[in-house]
Structure formats: C-alpha cells, structure tokens
Amino acid sequence: MVGVASERLRSRRAQRERERRWYNKDVSMHDVDGLNAGFASAILEEYLENPEAVPEEWRELFESGSSELVATHPGLARLVELVQEQEDGNGQVAAPSAPAAPPASAAPAEAPAPAPAAGEELLGGVAAAVALVGAIRTHGHLAAHLDPLGSEPVGDPALEADRLTPKLTPELQARIPAELLGVHVPGETAADVLPRLREIYCGTIAYEIEHISDHDQRLWLRAAIESGRYRRPLVPEEKRRLLERLTEVEGFERYLRRAFLGQKQFSIEGIDVMVPMLDEAIELGADEGAHEVVFGMAHRGRLNVLAHVLGRPYESILREFEGERTLEAVASDPEGGTGDVKYHLGAEGTRRTETGEITLTLASNPSHLEAVDPVVEGRTRAEQTDRSTRDGYADSAVAMPVLIHGDAAFPAQGVVAETLNLSDLTGYSTGGTLHLIANNQIGFTTDPADGRSTRYSSDLAKGFDIPIVHVNADDPEAALAAVRLALAFRRRFCTDVVIDLVGYRRHGHNEQDEPAYTQPLMAARIERQPSVREQYAERLIEEGVLAQQEVDGLSSQVEAKLKEAHENLRSTFGEAMPAVAYEGRIPASTDHEIVTEVADSRLRALNDELLTFPEGFTVHPKLAKQLDRRRTTLDDGGIDWGQAEELAFASLLAEGIPVRLTGQDTERGTFSHRHLVLHDAENGEIYTPLQNLRESAASFEVHNSPLSEAACVGFEYGYSVAAPETLVLWEAQFGDFVNGAQVAVDQFIVSGLSKWGQTSRLTLLLPHGYEGNGPEHSSARLERFLQLAAQENIRIANCTTAAQHFHLLRRQALDPSARPLVVMTPKGLLRLKEASSRLEELSGASFRPVLPDPEASPEKVRRLVLCSGKIYYDLAGHDLRRDADWVAIGRLEQLYPFPVAAAAKLIDSFPSLVELVWAQEEPQNMGAWRSIRHRLEGGLPEGVSLRFVGRPWRASPSEGYPTAHLREQDRILREALS
C-alpha cells in the first residue's frame, strides 16, 4: 500500500483544482445540453438565491419556462408548471405573454398597490425557502443548544421565516416542492423538510461548513449531515457500553479526588465524553487501515486518557500520586523516578479493535499547552513515511494524528496557526488531523470575552478551510456522531476537521483552585449541574435499556477496581530500590569511535552521479558553471561547503541511512550554496540528484518550509523521535530565526531526554557569524544553547572547514548514542577558498573537536589564541599575523561536550606558553566565553594567564552599521594578535 494514500491525496487535490475552474458564468445557455446539466442546476441554485447574480439570458430562461432545457430539469419544469397553473386557473399551459401596459388614466399617486400574482408569490416563496435553507446551513449554529449549562443561543434574524419576503407561511411552504430546495432530508414539500433541517443544524450538534471554498467538500458535507448518515441511533448494547465508559471516566476522577485530597489531577469532569469520542476515533482509524494513532493534549483530562484510552494501569498512575507523599513510592518502581510531573507524561500502548491491533501514542507535553501540536504531526508523518523509498512516500492511511486543544489556547497561541498552516503542505501533510477542542468555556480565570476576539474558540480554523462541528458535551451520542462525520470527511478528502466539544470545568483550573473567586455565577451553576453520566443513566432508565440497580452496580464495580489497584500498589512499597537516581535519567553518551571517512572511489562515483542530469534537462547557465567546478575539485582541491554536505548525504543514503532536510529556502540554500533541487531553465521541471542515486538504499526528503519556526522545528523534533535511524535536519534562513522556536528548543530538544527519556538526533543548522549584517543576522545566539547544555544532553559545534562539516554530519547520523546537534553554520566561509577541503580530508580523516595552528612553531609560542568559527580566518589573515610568530591560533570546533582532553593536549604542546586568550566576535555576555571559561581555567598550566578578547558587554549582539562593524572587528583582531 506504499504511496497509495499519497497518490489518492494528489488525485483529490487535482480534482479540486478542476472543480474550482469549471464554473464559468460566461458560458451561454445554448452551450448546455443533457451531458452537463449539472451546470444549469448550479446556475438555477444561484438564481434562486439571487436572481441578479446570473446572466440576463439565464434569468429570462428561468422566468419564461419556454425551453427544452427546462423540460430536462424536472424540478424547474414542475415549478414553471405550478406557476402557470396558478396564473391560468385551469391547469393548461399558457404561452408567455408580454406584461400588460398600465392603464393610461390611472394616476400614480392614487393607484392601489397591485397584489402579487399567485405565480409570482410561489416563485418568491421558492427563493425565500432557498434563502432560508442557506441561512440554516450557514447560521444554524447560532440557534443551536450547545451549552450544557443552559445558556440560550443568540440566534440570527436570517433564520426567522416570517422575516423573509414573501413571508414563508405554513400554507406557502406546503406549496413549495422539496426537490427545489436541494436538501437531503425526506419530505414532499418545504413544510416537511424545513423543520427537520432546523433540528439537524440547530440541535445539540451544529456545523460550520459554508466557509469552505471547495465546492465538492461543501456538497459532500451537506449530504452527509442532512441525510443523517453518520448520526445513526445506538442500539441498546452500544448505549450500555457508552454508559459503562462514562462511569469509568467519572469514577476514576472521583476516586483520585477522595484518595489524594488537594493534589492536582486536572480533572476531565465536564467534558467526560471526550474519552468515548477517542475510543470511537481509534476504532474508525483502525477500520481505515491505521496502524497507529498519535495523540497530543495538554493536562486537562490527561490522566483519564492515559488510563482509559492508552490503557496505562491504574497502579502506575496511583504511584505518581503516592510519589508526592513519599519518595519510597516512586523509588520502588523498577524503572526509577521520572523527570516530569504526572500530567505531562507520554505513553504508548496497544489496543485490540474489531479490525486488529493498533498502536496508541500519547506524546509527552510540557505546560506550554499547544507546543506539542507540531510534534504530534511530525511523529505521525514519520510513521506514515516509507523510508525505504527514494523520496519517502507518505501513506496517510498508516497513522492518524489527534490533537486535543484547550478553548483558550486554540485561538491564542500562535503555534496553533503555524501547525494548521502545515496541514496541506507537501513536506508536512499527514492526510488530515482530528482536532478536538476541550471547551471549558473559560481559560484558567479568564472569560472568553477577554481571551479572544472571535465568537468561537474554533474560528481560527475557518481561515484554513477546515469544517467545524460544535457539539454539546452532555449529549454523548451526538458527540460520537461528530467523530464519525469528522473521520469520514478525513477519509474522503484527506484534510483536517475540528470538533468543538462544548462543556464546562467541574472544578477550578486545578483541584487546589477556587473558581468562585472569579466566576461565582458559573461555579454555582456547575455545582447544580448533574454529570453527563447521571443524565445519560437517567435517560437509559427511562428508555428501559437499564434498571437503576444495574446503573448503581456499574459505579460499584469501578470503585472496587480502583481500590484493588491502590491496595496492590501499597503492597509494593519498601521493595528493592533501583540503582537509578530519582532525578531525570540520562543515559551516558557513548565513547564509540565513529568511522566517518568514505573511500575516495565511492566519493568519486557519488560525485559523478550528483552531477549527472536527465537527458534534455537544462540547468540554469549560471548554475551550470558552478556545478561544473565540482567535477574537478576531487582532484584539484577546493571542495566547498555545499559539495561536502551533499557528498555526506549521498554517502549516508548509500549506507541505508535516511535523510530529511527542511527549512527556510533549504532546497537552494539561503546563500545559494546548496542547490539540492534543480529547476529546468526551459520548462520548470525539477530534478533532485540525491533521490536518483543508483546505490541509494534509503529515502532523501528535502523541502522548503514555510516562514515559521515554532511549528517547523517542533515538527522535525517529532519526526526525529519517531524515526531515530534518520538524520533529520532543520535549517534557519539566518541563525537568529531559531529564536521563534525557543519553546521547542527549551522544552523538547534540550530537556526531552531528561524529562521523558526521549532521544533525538535532530540537527539544527544555524547560520552564524559577524559580517556587518546588523544585530539580528549576525548571531544564532550560541550562548543560549551553551547555557542549556548539561548532562551531555546536546552537542554544539562551530566548524571551520568543509571536511569538518562532512565528518560532523556523518558522525551525527552514525553515532549509536543519539543526541540533538546544534551547528553554527557559516555564511562567508561557504565559498572561502581557505575553508575548502581536499578529497583526502574526506576519505582519510575524521571530525576533530580541536584544530591546532598548522603554521605555529611550538617552541616560539608564548600566546595561544583560542577561538571558534569564522573569526579564525579573520585572525589568520590579519596584517599583524605575519609578524606574530610567537602567537598560535587554535580552533575549538566542538563547544559541547567540551573536549577536555583535546584542549589540554593543544595547550600542553606549547612549552613556553604564558598566556591563553579566548577570542570571539560576540559581546562578553554572549557567545561561548561565559560557558567555557571554567573549562579553560581548569586546564591552565601553572603560570599561564587567561584573558578575554571580544566585544564588551552589550544589550544587542552587534553594530548596525557596516563601518562600525569593521572598526570593532579590527580592534578585536589587533588586541588578540598584538
């Protein structure tokens, strides 16, 4: 099935494009015949809504009735027939006649208003009925009863039949054939179908679909909603199972609150039906062939989802609560303690469905509520991708993402919009996400009126053409119907759907909070509100599905099961203590010698393939000259950054290691150095050499990303976690752009291993270096990453040669100990001759964390200037360098983990050393200085001093004017060398 869903998705998108183009009002009525009668039907529908919106000749046709075309449309023909019956009074078809001239003697001021003819009234009634149908579809949600707490819906005047012209009286409705209204509910006349239509759109479930620009999607949704195809009544056994589930959900929360009074659990109560909804989504996903469902959610209801959706044993959750009382409770767990609070933890489980076993994954999530959204999408895309194919085909049927949002966070946090923007992009689409808004109608203590500028928390989704289903959380059967509709739409169109589950929050933001301080009326109303379980149980008792005794028995069974689990847990306290520490556990990184060299024969063969293009493919003339130079560099030297990087990727693919590279302008490279995707200069066709290597045994994915950081970096982190064998890289246009992804960096990339034991080899390529481009485009904020580095959680490098970059990338892919890698990539060095490399440096070397001065005479050296990155070439090329043979310049290529042994070896190689200078371009409060100073001081021989050279303390990274930059740069170089 590899690629089937991808092909299906592409086919549907092409169909949608054709659909958008087919409707052309300039087509004459003479061009229409029985073969494209649908066109005439569309014109008729628009005429009935607004006669002035269609061409004049079409209006005349509809109003005359004298056409063979009318006869081919039974509904239109019947309408004309009814009009003429009313006008003739004898049932005979009358020939159309010109309107009679008004009497000459009639004075305009005295003439009575003419009564409309019966036929005109009927035609107007049809137009009014069609308008009412449109209003119900578009604005029916405003009259829907969505609030479990009973607030009255606001309604809309367009929904009132007696406001229309003519008034849609019951008598007039009874004369209008239902077939003219284009609805999908049974009935002979408008009087039959309009009340039913109101029930569908204005009940405890409501829909917003008319904003969708895709005509096919709108028609499908109307038919699916109005036919009731996905809102079938439950049979008694299904109702019983639903009540059992609601009883488990409620019983779990109540037990925790009694057993652990005052502890935070972020109860699900008020939106209890979310658990049965997720059950339904899992069953439907499995039925469609999904092997995995990936969930992302914040803390509200998370423990309940862990227990009842993921199947985590009650004992393991109760242990977390006991752990707040005694360390012994956690320490007796053979896995050791965790590094995060219980309501942030992820989990993985399996569930047996009617169609087989399915894997369920709940992504770990920090308190930054929506930050997990793109992580889930990335994990899902990784599960969907067949990395044994050359370009990584993604089959959206294989895995399904489900995101549970907060009603305050969904419209307010920008990462939500960034994630929605990824949904239909080639490099990021997951074939449709089920979004479920857990709508408490409040954000902590903030009312909706203070938290968003839109009516609904879901309104953001309208901008992305996503259908929205609102449902009352106290109608559990309607909630299940919403899921069935949503997943049927995903299956049909491979796009996102939003369900706005409107409920409430039974307690405060957490169980230690008092909601009545800020929302006293709402809190009082909630206190009187029976739970959804209680309401549904009462309903089933009235229907005769269950007796009261059976309902009580279900509650007792849940209580007994929880008590038993708690007693079993307590019996384990005091057993053998594990060897691991309670603090976050980080496996030590390995000291493996990673072989990164590649035989020169293989590099030559790969280089030839990378420079071979399909017959007839025209490379841009200017680019062709640049690429031609790569044909000679393996013999003559001068392998630049772009070529070394491409050879690194090619060699990994040949070894069966998948590579995924995304980022801002990444296909070409911000500085036009990469050119992984070639564009035919004549016809625009594209060709990616790395996807066409004969020896390739793995996928190569390369995609330009949207101009976004938070979602894109989060997505790649999620992908890298789910695909640990893959080298996943994200590149910023300029290094400072990663500032926009700081949450992903802080709360996932650098701490995920400590908090959740979650490994990743995600690589961030961040252009960095002071070249007079102003404060923003100079610094990738190296100091931030160094500040976050501890316990060997990440690796940080700042390479100065193309060969070093080559070996660094290969080491990152091949090292069995996965860690994120942050690379300060160059700008000016990309084409600098001195930074280029020779073939033997790729085929017969490895990454070196410290590079010595190749020109220094150790006996003469009294000062060692140690630096990192591009400033090395500024120092080596400065005028003062020629006469300063007593100065050696060393390069620190790996900044973290700090290469203690290699640095000490370099320092000890100079017997006459009296001074060590750390030189950097960044201000003293930025860059590497403050993070590595203690390392340098600790390795100094006796009598050797340490001094800083660089920009003084600054609030901003660099100067704004190029001339000021040059002057300051020269000062730094002179101070280091003089």
Side-chain angles (χ1 to χ4, degrees):
M1 272 190 73
V2 174
V4 171
S6 297
E7 285 299 322
R8 185 171 63 202
L9 181 59
R10 285 192 286 268
S11 173
R12 287 175 186 163
R13 288 175 180 159
Q15 178 184 347
R16 283 183 236 155
E17 281 303 311
R18 292 194 295 273
E19 182 70 34
R20 290 188 184 105
R21 292 194 294 263
W22 79 272
Y23 185 82
N24 181 359
K25 294 180 186 174
D26 293 334
V27 175
S28 165
M29 66 180 183
H30 303 295
D31 299 327
V32 179
D33 55 26
L35 294 178
N36 54 7
F39 178 81
S41 298
I43 292 282
L44 172 61
E45 183 178 339
E46 184 159 358
Y47 166 79
L48 292 173
E49 291 188 10
N50 180 11
E52 299 302 321
V54 303
E56 184 177 356
E57 62 176 346
W58 285 97
R59 284 202 307 276
E60 293 174 357
L61 170 73
F62 296 142
E63 292 166 5
S64 71
S66 57
S67 167
E68 294 180 5
L69 177 62
V70 173
T72 66
H73 293 77
L76 181 57
R78 177 61 179 150
L79 173 61
V80 172
E81 182 182 339
L82 285 171
V83 171
Q84 291 168 342
E85 285 176 1
Q86 296 293 331
E87 291 178 348
D88 282 3
N90 56 12
Q92 301 298 314
V93 177
S97 58
S105 60
E110 300 174 3
E120 292 178 6
E121 182 185 32
L122 181 58
L123 188 60
V126 171
V130 170
L132 182 57
V133 169
I136 292 172
R137 286 170 171 167
T138 304
H139 305 299
H141 57 90
L142 296 173
H145 296 273
L146 299 174
D147 184 6
L149 302 180
S151 65
E152 283 299 313
V154 296
D156 190 280
L159 300 172
E160 300 174 24
D162 57 358
R163 286 177 175 260
L164 299 168
T165 304
K167 290 184 178 181
L168 275 179
T169 62
E171 295 77 16
L172 182 55
Q173 291 183 38
R175 293 163 54 198
I176 299 172
E179 60 187 325
L180 295 177
L181 304 184
V183 296
H184 303 274
V185 295
E188 294 295 322
T189 68
D192 301 324
V193 301
L194 288 176
R196 177 60 184 141
L197 207 63
R198 285 184 183 275
E199 292 175 11
I200 291 170
Y201 284 96
C202 305
T204 55
I205 186 169
Y207 311 90
E208 290 188 88
I209 62 173
E210 296 301 319
H211 60 277
I212 298 173
S213 60
D214 188 293
H215 180 69
D216 190 36
Q217 290 183 16
R218 288 199 310 275
L219 293 184
W220 186 93
L221 283 165
R222 290 172 188 166
I225 292 165
E226 294 165 16
S227 67
R229 190 185 313 159
Y230 301 103
R231 200 176 179 184
R232 59 173 178 79
L234 301 184
V235 300
E237 182 55 33
E238 290 175 319
K239 293 182 177 184
R240 181 187 177 93
R241 286 201 302 269
L242 177 54
L243 180 61
E244 287 175 354
R245 197 53 149 174
L246 292 173
T247 304
E248 289 175 337
V249 170
E250 181 180 287
F252 176 76
E253 298 290 358
R254 291 186 174 183
Y255 184 86
L256 290 181
R257 194 161 51 258
R258 289 197 308 271
F260 305 101
L261 187 64
Q263 287 198 36
K264 296 178 183 178
Q265 66 192 68
F266 296 100
S267 164
I268 200 174
E269 292 165 279
I271 49 170
D272 312 51
V273 75
M274 183 170 74
V275 169
M277 292 172 77
L278 296 179
D279 291 337
E280 186 76 5
I282 292 165
E283 286 288 342
L284 294 172
D287 188 53
E288 289 303 312
H291 301 162
E292 182 170 356
V293 179
V294 185
F295 298 96
M297 66 182 300
H299 42 268
R300 174 80 50 216
R302 190 181 187 94
L303 297 179
N304 221 302
V305 170
L306 282 168
H308 296 122
V309 178
L310 276 292
R312 188 174 175 186
Y314 286 150
E315 289 88 343
S316 68
I317 296 174
L318 294 170
R319 186 183 299 279
E320 296 290 338
F321 280 90
E322 290 287 357
E324 291 194 11
R325 296 177 171 181
T326 168
L327 180 61
E328 181 186 51
V330 176
S332 61
D333 186 337
E335 295 298 319
T338 72
D340 205 348
V341 292
K342 52 189 171 289
Y343 38 83
H344 290 170
L345 299 177
E348 186 171 305
T350 57
R351 176 186 285 199
R352 182 159 296 282
T353 69
E354 292 183 4
T355 54
E357 198 168 81
I358 189 170
T359 298
L360 307 176
T361 300
L362 176 63
S364 299
N365 190 29
S367 281
H368 212 92
L369 303 178
E370 301 289 341
V372 78
D373 297 354
V375 176
V376 167
E377 299 294 340
R379 290 188 73 138
T380 305
R381 176 64 179 245
E383 297 296 342
Q384 295 173 347
T385 301
D386 183 352
R387 285 177 290 280
S388 67
T389 59
R390 295 198 170 199
D391 57 354
Y393 281 115
D395 183 350
S396 61
V398 170
M400 180 176 73
V402 177
L403 290 176
I404 302 167
H405 308 273
D407 56 304
F410 189 82
Q413 294 198 4
V415 70
V416 177
E418 289 190 25
T419 304
L420 292 176
N421 187 49
L422 301 179
S423 63
D424 206 27
L425 301 182
T426 302
Y428 301 89
S429 174
T430 53
T433 299
L434 175 60
H435 300 270
L436 201 161
I437 298 177
N439 192 339
N440 299 309
Q441 305 190 67
I442 191 172
F444 203 153
T445 66
T446 302
D447 292 319
D450 297 321
R452 63 176 185 261
S453 296
T454 57
R455 179 180 297 278
Y456 297 115
S457 59
S458 56
D459 283 343
L460 173 67
K462 291 181 182 178
F464 297 91
D465 266 8
I466 296 173
I468 300 166
V469 183
H470 305 278
V471 63
N472 186 317
D474 274 3
D475 187 345
E477 294 188 17
L480 297 187
V483 173
R484 289 194 290 269
L485 173 68
L487 292 189
F489 182 83
R490 178 189 187 266
R491 178 178 67 248
R492 172 68 175 82
F493 296 102
C494 299
T495 59
D496 291 16
V497 188
V498 170
I499 298 177
D500 178 21
L501 179 63
V502 184
Y504 56 90
R505 193 179 65 199
R506 173 70 64 180
H507 308 286
H509 176 67
N510 60 61
E511 286 64 30
Q512 301 171 0
D513 193 44
E514 175 51 73
Y517 289 160
T518 50
Q519 280 80 27
L521 301 182
M522 187 180 193
R525 177 65 185 84
I526 290 171
E527 193 172 351
R528 301 192 303 270
Q529 179 76 1
S531 70
V532 63
R533 182 202 65 83
E534 293 168 338
Q535 294 181 57
Y536 194 58
E538 183 178 344
R539 173 178 160 187
L540 295 191
I541 292 171
E542 291 176 359
E543 293 177 0
V545 176
L546 288 169
Q548 182 66 57
Q549 186 176 358
E550 293 176 281
V551 171
D552 296 339
L554 292 176
S555 298
S556 299
Q557 290 171 21
V558 171
E559 175 84 7
K561 188 176 180 180
L562 284 160
K563 284 184 177 178
E564 182 183 5
H566 205 167
E567 289 304 316
N568 291 340
L569 169 66
R570 289 188 175 120
S571 68
T572 67
F573 296 172
E575 293 181 0
M577 300 280 286
V580 293
Y582 172 61
E583 301 87 48
R585 319 178 297 286
I586 294 192
S589 61
T590 62
D591 293 324
H592 288 87
E593 286 294 328
I594 312 299
V595 178
T596 58
E597 62 185 38
V598 179
D600 59 0
S601 58
R602 167 161 281 191
L603 289 174
R604 289 181 184 277
L606 292 172
N607 194 58
D608 288 343
E609 282 196 76
L610 294 173
L611 297 172
T612 300
F613 315 121
E615 184 177 351
F617 189 89
T618 306
V619 179
H620 191 283
K622 287 175 65 177
L623 178 57
K625 293 178 182 177
Q626 299 176 40
L627 296 179
D628 280 343
R629 285 198 290 271
R630 295 185 179 181
R631 300 182 190 276
T632 62
T633 53
L634 299 193
D635 292 317
D636 302 340
I639 299 172
D640 64 17
W641 224 268
Q643 186 177 12
E645 181 183 76
E646 192 170 18
L647 286 170
F649 292 155
S651 64
L652 291 171
L653 295 173
E655 294 172 33
I657 296 175
V659 177
R660 175 179 166 91
L661 171 64
T662 64
Q664 296 157 343
D665 311 292
T666 291
E667 293 180 0
R668 191 203 75 170
T670 300
F671 309 103
S672 197
H673 70 286
R674 183 174 285 126
H675 300 288
L676 295 178
V677 178
L678 304 175
H679 298 256
D680 191 298
E682 301 295 333
N683 57 30
E685 292 291 324
I686 64 171
Y687 178 71
T688 306
L690 281 167
Q691 291 176 347
N692 290 276
L693 299 175
R694 287 190 299 272
E695 295 185 50
S696 177
S699 63
F700 178 73
E701 299 178 71
V702 58
H703 302 285
N704 287 336
S705 76
L707 196 58
S708 150
E709 292 81 39
C712 291
V713 173
F715 187 100
E716 302 308 331
Y717 175 80
Y719 192 109
S720 70
V721 168
E725 83 287 2
T726 305
L727 177 61
V728 180
L729 310 98
W730 177 83
E731 181 177 58
Q733 189 180 94
F734 287 89
D736 62 288
F737 283 28
V738 78
N739 291 344
Q742 199 63 45
V743 171
V745 172
D746 290 353
Q747 302 195 16
F748 290 94
I749 295 174
V750 303
S751 59
L753 185 57
S754 175
K755 294 190 293 187
W756 313 312
Q758 196 161 272
T759 58
S760 165
R761 61 179 81 244
L762 175 61
T763 299
L764 304 181
L765 304 179
L766 309 178
H768 174 87
Y770 283 53
E771 297 174 1
N773 291 319
E776 276 68 57
H777 291 349
S778 294
S779 175
R781 295 292 186 173
L782 171 63
E783 62 278 358
R784 291 183 181 170
F785 294 98
L786 287 169
Q787 183 188 43
L788 295 168
Q791 298 178 281
E792 299 189 16
N793 59 334
I794 58 174
R795 300 175 180 127
I796 304 172
N798 191 1
C799 301
T800 56
T801 73
Q804 284 282 86
H805 186 62
F806 171 89
H807 291 294
L808 179 68
L809 294 178
R810 284 185 49 80
R811 186 186 74 170
Q812 176 69 355
L814 297 169
D815 193 333
S817 178
R819 294 289 188 276
L821 170 65
V822 180
V823 187
M824 302 288 114
T825 56
K827 295 171 285 184
L829 304 192
L830 295 173
R831 296 180 183 83
L832 185 69
K833 181 180 179 181
E834 290 79 6
S836 65
S837 301
R838 301 185 63 85
L839 176 61
E840 56 267 26
E841 294 177 282
L842 277 58
S843 63
S846 62
F847 178 78
R848 293 183 292 168
V850 175
L851 293 179
D853 189 334
E855 300 178 0
S857 299
E859 297 77 13
K860 296 181 180 180
V861 171
R862 300 194 304 278
R863 177 189 295 174
L864 171 61
V865 178
L866 196 59
C867 63
S868 185
K870 167 249 173 191
I871 193 174
Y872 165 76
Y873 293 101
D874 294 344
L875 288 163
H878 197 272
D879 292 343
L880 294 180
R881 178 70 181 110
R882 289 193 298 269
D883 300 325
D885 59 355
W886 52 279
V887 175
I889 307 173
R891 286 171 272 179
L892 192 59
E893 301 279 290
Q894 177 176 297
L895 293 158
Y896 189 84
F898 189 86
V900 176
K905 181 179 179 181
L906 176 64
I907 294 171
D908 292 343
S909 68
F910 303 112
S912 303
L913 190 67
V914 295
E915 185 182 32
L916 175 62
V917 170
W918 173 258
Q920 66 178 41
E921 300 176 298
E922 301 89 348
Q924 190 170 355
N925 56 316
M926 302 178 192
W929 167 246
R930 301 187 74 196
S931 296
I932 66 171
R933 178 178 180 176
H934 67 287
R935 290 290 191 182
L936 299 176
E937 289 174 336
L940 285 180
E942 187 176 351
V944 177
S945 62
L946 174 65
R947 181 163 60 95
F948 169 84
V949 173
R951 284 170 169 78
W953 285 58
R954 290 277 188 260
S956 178
S958 76
E959 303 75 25
Y961 294 99
T963 51
H965 158 78
L966 292 173
R967 185 168 60 248
E968 182 65 5
Q969 199 79 354
D970 185 64
R971 182 196 64 77
I972 294 170
L973 303 178
R974 290 181 178 279
E975 188 174 338
L977 295 172
S978 63

